[in-house]
Amino acid sequence: MENEYEYNSKVFKAFSDPNRLLILKMLKYGERCACEILEDLAISQSTLSHHMKILCDSEIVNYRRRGKWMLYSLNEKNCQAARDFLTEITSMKDLCDINEPRQIC
């Protein structure tokens, strides 16, 4: 079983590519078919498959098959968890002593 930091590193790896960020922005507006995503990106079908595998493996994106089509959508629960984690690690309120930034509580 992976720990919280291993899981979050997968998520932030998924966020670390410009094409994957564009895909996430497209999915923000609702479920999209792979063919629709491909139309809006200047990449090959195999490259799209690679990006979708990373996004799905990170559990930020859900997928389902409808006939011969693959449909993708954001996983709202895991997107919120990523926002919460980023807030947690960048929040100053959790510091024990502002004068000793290396101290971990």
Side-chain angles (χ1 to χ4, degrees):
M1 185 170 130
E2 63 188 3
N3 70 34
E4 172 188 11
Y5 297 102
E6 290 168 336
Y7 169 75
N8 282 305
S9 70
K10 275 188 194 178
V11 170
F12 286 94
K13 175 186 176 185
F15 293 159
S16 70
D17 180 89
N19 285 316
R20 291 193 291 268
L21 291 174
L22 285 169
I23 292 166
L24 291 170
K25 188 170 184 178
M26 287 180 219
L27 296 177
K28 169 183 168 180
Y29 301 103
E31 187 175 66
R32 302 279 303 262
C33 174
C35 59
E36 294 172 321
I37 296 169
L38 197 55
E39 286 176 7
D40 293 339
L41 297 176
I43 59 175
S44 68
Q45 204 288 316
S46 62
T47 301
L48 177 62
S49 293
H50 169 75
H51 288 308
M52 298 315 296
K53 177 171 178 19
I54 291 170
L55 289 167
C56 291
D57 286 351
S58 73
E59 300 177 1
I60 287 297
V61 170
N62 296 321
Y63 65 93
R64 68 183 179 95
R65 183 174 293 280
R66 186 173 64 193
K68 65 179 182 172
W69 307 108
M70 289 298 289
L71 300 168
Y72 298 96
S73 61
L74 291 179
N75 181 320
E76 294 298 329
K77 178 182 153 217
N78 289 346
C79 287
Q80 183 61 51
R83 284 189 292 271
D84 293 346
F85 180 74
L86 187 58
T87 298
E88 176 188 330
I89 64 172
T90 59
S91 175
M92 296 298 285
K93 69 180 180 183
D94 292 336
L95 293 176
C96 293
D97 184 346
I98 197 77
N99 297 318
E100 295 186 42
R102 291 182 179 241
Q103 184 176 355
I104 298 175
C105 303

